[in-house]
Amino acid sequence: MGDYGHDLIFGSFTTPGSDDPERTVGLAVLAEQVGLDLVTFQDHPYQPRFLDTWTLLSYVAARTSRVHLSANVTNLPLRTPTVLARSVASLDLLSGGRIELGLGAGAFWEAIEAMGGRRLTPGQGVRALEEAIDVIRQLWDSEARGGVRVDGEFHRVLGAKRGPAPAHAVPIWLGAYKPRMLELTGRRADGWLPSLAYLQPGDLAKGNELIDDAARRADRSPRDVRRLLNISGQFATAERGPLHGPAEQWVRELAELALNDGISAFILASDDPDDLRRFAGEVAPAVRELVAAERDASSARTPVTEPLAVAAPSARPARARVTSGAFAVVPTPDDGRRLSDRQVWDESARPTGPTPDPTRTYTAHEQANGQHLVQVHDGLRGELAQIHDLIEQVAAGEIDAGAARSQINTMTMRQNRWTLGAYCESYCRIVTTHHTIEDQALFPRLRQADPRLRPVVDRLEQEHHVIHEVLEGVDKALVAYVGAPDGLVELRAAVNLLTDALLSHLSYEERELVEPLARLGVS
C-alpha cells in the first residue's frame, strides 16, 4: 500500500513482570532516557506473574516526563469501558498528555472467565469492542450536551455524565488480525497495532487494503489510521534472518516496512537494556534519515495532490521547497561566532570544490538532493540547541538543590542529570550514524562522480574523525558531571566545543556539496 506519510515513532514493549518490579520500571525509565518515544506493556489481568498494567502505567508516568505510554493492548473484556475511559483521561491529564489507548477484543477466554469476565465469540468480541469505542469517545466528549447513552448488546450506558476530557486527543489503536477487526479499524480506530510475529508474508498488505477500503466507505482517509507494529529480533554481527543481524540490517528492513507497508511506529519487544540502547541510538535515527530521504525524493518526483500528515520535528526550521530552474538551495552560512576558546582544526586550510556553472539549470528532483542534506543538518542543529537548553535547565535546578531541597527534590534532580546524560549520549549516536552513512555511501560516490571533489571529501572525512573525538570529550564530561556536583563547567565547555566544531563543519559541508549533489544526481 506504500507510505502513509506519518511521522516515525519508536517504542518499547516491556514485560510487566512482578518478580522484580523495580527492573520493570527501570526498563521504562531507560526507554525514555535513550530517546524512545513510546513505552508499552501487555495487559493480561488474569496473569499473576504480571503487575496490573494500569497501576504500572500510572507509576511509570510519575517516574518519567517525556515518553508516551500505552497498554499493548488493553484487555477490554476485563476493563469496563466507562471506567477505562475515565482512567485514560485522568492519567493523560496527570501526565501532561502522554497516554495512548490500545484496545483488544479479548483472548485466552478461559482465563477471562476465571476472572469473572464473559466469554464471547469472535463476532461478539468485535461488536462489543465497537460499542466500547462509542462509550469511550462519548465520555471524553465533555463539551457535548446531555449524558452518555449507548444501548448496546454488550455495553449499556444510560445517561452517565461526560468527562473528564483527556489532555490531548488520545488515539485508539486496535490489535487486529481478522477481517472483521480490520474493517472496524478502518471505520472507527486511529491506529492498527498487530505483532509481526503473528503475521504471515503478505498479511500487512492485505490488512492495509481491508483497512483502507473500510476507511473510504466510512468517508475517512486511509491516512487517518496510523500503522503500528510490534517487532522482535536479535542484534548480531552477521545477517542470520529477518531482524536478526547488525544494526544496518535492522535499519534497511524497518525502512522497507515504512516505505512499502506504511508502518510508522516500531515497538521493540525486548527486556534487554542493551537492545533498547541500540534500537534507540543506532536503528531509530538511521531509519528516520532513510525514510526522510526517500520521502523528499518522492515528493520531488511526483506532484503531491493531497497534503501528507507528517509532523515535522519541532526543532527543525521550515525551508522553502525548490523548483526547476537556477540553483536555489541555500547553504546554511557560518556566522563566525564561537563559544569556546579552543580550535580543533584550521578552518583556513579547508579546500574548495569546482566553481558551479552559473548558466546551468537544475530540475526539482536534482535540487532536492542538495536540499535534503540541509534538512538533515537542520535536524542536527535543532537537537544541539535542545542540549544547550537542557543544560541551562539543569543548571537552574542545581542552584535550587543547593538551597536545601527535600529528599524528593534531590531524587528529581538526580533523575534530571541522568536524563540529560542519556539525551546527549543519544544525540552523539545520531551524529555518528549520520557521519557513518556519509563516509560509507555518499562520499565514495562523490569521489567517483567528480574527482575534483576528492580534496573536499577527504577533508570532510578527516573532520568526522575530529568530531568523533569531541563527542568522546562530551561523554567524559557527562560521566564527571553525574558523579560530581561541580562538573557543570566542564560539561558546558565540552558541549560548547562540540557546538563550534559541528556547526562549522555542517556549514562547510553544505557550502561545498549541495550543488554537486544536484549536479551529479547523488543522494
Side-chain angles (χ1 to χ4, degrees):
M1 292 292 105
D3 181 11
Y4 294 92
H6 297 118
D7 55 305
L8 297 188
I9 293 173
F10 295 85
S12 65
F13 190 4
T14 300
T15 305
S18 61
D19 56 333
D20 190 351
E22 275 305 309
R23 185 177 190 276
T24 300
V25 174
L27 287 170
V29 173
L30 175 65
E32 175 174 86
Q33 291 175 344
V34 298
L36 291 178
D37 309 295
L38 177 68
V39 168
T40 70
F41 301 99
Q42 56 189 290
D43 182 32
H44 297 288
Y46 39 76
Q47 176 54 267
R49 293 186 295 107
F50 290 168
L51 297 166
D52 173 69
T53 297
W54 275 98
T55 305
L56 177 60
L57 287 170
S58 300
Y59 192 87
V60 170
R63 289 284 300 273
T64 55
S65 60
R66 180 194 57 81
V67 74
H68 283 234
L69 305 166
S70 178
N72 189 350
V73 289
T74 305
N75 189 298
L76 185 61
L78 292 175
R79 308 279 186 186
T80 306
T82 48
V83 177
L84 178 63
R86 289 195 168 135
S87 298
V88 172
S90 299
L91 190 53
D92 196 54
L93 289 165
L94 290 167
S95 66
R98 295 190 288 125
I99 306 303
E100 323 296 353
L101 179 56
L103 282 179
F108 306 104
W109 290 104
E110 289 185 2
I112 289 173
E113 279 189 308
M115 289 284 287
R118 175 183 174 184
R119 180 188 288 267
L120 302 177
T121 67
Q124 289 174 329
V126 175
R127 296 198 299 275
L129 178 56
E130 183 163 14
E131 291 174 9
I133 292 173
D134 197 13
V135 170
I136 291 167
R137 287 195 167 136
Q138 284 197 47
L139 277 164
W140 287 347
D141 187 7
S142 59
E143 299 298 320
R145 299 184 62 181
V148 174
R149 294 192 176 274
V150 175
D151 189 8
E153 180 182 358
F154 304 94
H155 300 293
R156 298 181 72 241
V157 184
L158 307 177
K161 294 185 181 297
R162 299 172 184 268
H168 81 300
V170 175
I172 295 178
W173 303 329
L174 300 188
Y177 297 92
K178 301 298 183 180
R180 280 178 292 191
M181 281 288 289
L182 293 168
E183 193 270 342
L184 174 61
T185 303
R187 284 192 294 109
R188 301 295 305 275
D190 305 298
W192 177 32
L193 177 53
S195 294
L196 185 59
Y198 297 156
L199 299 173
Q200 298 298 319
D203 280 355
L204 283 175
K206 294 175 185 176
N208 280 332
E209 184 175 2
L210 287 169
I211 291 170
D212 292 353
D213 289 345
R216 294 187 186 99
R217 290 195 300 271
D219 294 325
R220 306 178 73 202
S221 167
R223 288 174 178 161
D224 292 342
V225 184
R226 178 187 284 277
R227 318 302 156 108
L228 308 95
L229 189 64
N230 294 318
I231 61 172
S232 59
Q234 288 183 263
F235 288 102
T237 56
E239 296 190 16
R240 300 173 183 172
L243 293 181
H244 189 175
E248 294 79 6
Q249 175 192 345
W250 285 59
V251 171
R252 183 179 69 252
E253 293 177 1
L254 296 188
E256 289 173 355
L257 286 168
L259 296 168
N260 298 334
D261 293 296
I263 305 300
S264 59
F266 298 97
I267 306 171
L268 178 62
S270 176
D271 296 331
D272 186 332
D274 289 337
D275 283 352
L276 296 181
R277 293 186 182 99
R278 296 197 67 179
F279 187 59
E282 300 177 37
V283 176
V287 174
R288 284 191 169 104
E289 186 163 338
L290 287 178
V291 171
E294 180 58 30
R295 285 174 172 174
D296 284 346
S298 297
S299 63
R301 289 193 298 267
T302 306
V304 178
T305 57
E306 182 180 350
L308 296 179
V310 179
S314 58
R316 181 177 297 180
R319 296 205 180 239
R321 184 169 296 280
V322 293
T323 57
S324 300
F327 192 69
V329 180
V330 180
T332 305
D334 184 346
D335 61 13
R337 291 183 295 176
R338 299 293 182 262
L339 302 176
S340 174
D341 56 3
R342 291 181 55 196
Q343 291 187 343
V344 293
W345 48 52
D346 181 2
E347 296 179 9
S348 65
R350 284 169 166 165
T352 58
T355 303
D357 179 0
T359 64
R360 191 190 193 284
T361 59
Y362 303 80
T363 67
H365 176 57
E366 288 174 331
Q367 300 210 45
N369 288 336
Q371 187 181 40
H372 174 61
L373 180 66
V374 178
Q375 291 170 336
V376 170
H377 287 181
D378 283 346
L380 294 175
R381 281 183 280 257
E383 294 284 330
L384 191 60
Q386 291 183 42
I387 289 181
H388 282 278
D389 289 342
L390 280 171
I391 290 175
E392 295 311 314
Q393 293 172 26
V394 174
E398 286 289 334
I399 295 172
D400 291 339
R405 282 184 173 265
S406 66
Q407 181 64 28
I408 293 178
N409 285 337
T410 301
M411 292 175 63
T412 302
M413 186 52 52
R414 188 179 300 119
Q415 182 184 10
N416 284 344
R417 286 184 177 186
W418 279 111
T419 301
L420 173 64
Y423 187 96
C424 292
E425 179 187 7
S426 175
Y427 176 71
C428 293
R429 287 178 177 170
I430 292 172
V431 174
T432 302
T433 300
H434 172 64
H435 285 175
T436 300
I437 291 172
E438 290 185 333
D439 292 344
Q440 295 181 359
L442 177 63
F443 289 171
R445 295 175 65 190
L446 287 171
R447 286 193 186 95
Q448 183 178 10
D450 188 346
R452 295 175 298 172
L453 290 171
R454 182 176 295 275
V456 172
V457 173
D458 289 346
R459 171 67 185 229
L460 289 170
E461 283 191 345
Q462 293 169 9
E463 292 191 4
H464 285 179
H465 293 297
V466 175
I467 291 174
H468 177 74
E469 294 176 359
V470 176
L471 289 170
E472 290 292 326
V474 174
D475 285 338
K476 293 178 182 178
L478 285 166
V479 172
Y481 170 64
V482 171
D486 59 350
L488 189 63
V489 173
E490 289 75 10
L491 177 57
R492 266 210 189 97
V495 175
N496 285 345
L497 183 63
L498 172 64
T499 302
D500 290 348
L502 189 61
L503 294 184
S504 170
H505 170 80
L506 296 180
S507 293
Y508 170 55
E509 183 172 301
E510 290 175 24
R511 186 189 77 195
E512 296 299 326
L513 294 189
V514 289
E515 191 278 334
L517 288 173
R519 171 169 50 86
L520 302 172
V522 174
S523 61

